[in-house]
Amino acid sequence: MQYYNDKTNRQGTYFAFVAVQLFLLLIVYGFVYTSLVAVKLAVARYHLTFMAYMPVVLALIVYPVVLYKTRKMFRAGKRLRATGWMLGWASVIIVALYAFLSQLIRV
């Protein structure tokens, strides 16, 4: 007979959380890569400086830090808050990159 084990449940939920983090990291980095290509085209077409890359590079650096902080939050027992922060920051970064590109490439 198998007994209820809280430690096994914690490990399983942590594994699922990390798997979702990796999936979201791939999604966000897909948008970051697309943004880098779009900025490269805008720099070539509109003769912009290297500063046009800064928001995209900032998003590239910030999201792994957010994932690290949410992983620490998840381990501290704040599971729902960590999931909300992880999903929220992913959507904020994607929308911010879209807004930046729409302002950068004006016709």
Side-chain angles (χ1 to χ4, degrees), residues 32-73:
V32 167
Y33 176 74
T34 306
S35 299
L36 281 173
V37 170
V39 169
K40 179 182 173 185
L41 293 173
V43 165
R45 183 170 180 182
Y46 299 117
H47 308 292
L48 302 173
T49 64
F50 71 95
M51 292 300 288
Y53 288 103
M54 292 307 292
V56 181
V57 172
L58 184 66
L60 184 71
I61 294 169
V62 165
Y63 195 61
V65 173
V66 168
L67 291 180
Y68 174 73
K69 295 288 186 179
T70 57
R71 194 176 291 181
K72 283 176 52 177
M73 196 183 303

Side-chain angles (χ1 to χ4, degrees):
M1 180 174 219
Q2 195 173 29
Y3 292 102
Y4 176 79
N5 189 352
D6 206 26
K7 183 180 178 185
T8 306
N9 288 342
R10 276 196 304 265
Q11 289 174 346
T13 56
Y14 182 72
F15 178 74
F17 182 75
V18 171
V20 170
Q21 275 191 335
L22 289 175
F23 181 68
L24 284 175
L25 184 68
L26 290 174
I27 290 173
V28 170
Y29 274 8
F31 278 95
V32 167
Y33 176 74
T34 306
S35 299
L36 281 173
V37 170
V39 169
K40 179 182 173 185
L41 293 173
V43 165
R45 183 170 180 182
Y46 299 117
H47 308 292
L48 302 173
T49 64
F50 71 95
M51 292 300 288
Y53 288 103
M54 292 307 292
V56 181
V57 172
L58 184 66
L60 184 71
I61 294 169
V62 165
Y63 195 61
V65 173
V66 168
L67 291 180
Y68 174 73
K69 295 288 186 179
T70 57
R71 194 176 291 181
K72 283 176 52 177
M73 196 183 303
F74 190 87
R75 285 186 186 152
K78 301 173 184 173
R79 291 172 179 84
L80 188 60
R81 181 180 290 177
T83 305
W85 274 80
M86 176 182 63
L87 295 171
W89 274 104
S91 63
V92 164
I93 288 174
I94 290 169
V95 168
L97 286 174
Y98 177 73
F100 169 68
L101 289 177
S102 69
Q103 292 297 317
L104 185 67
I105 305 171
R106 283 205 172 181
V107 179

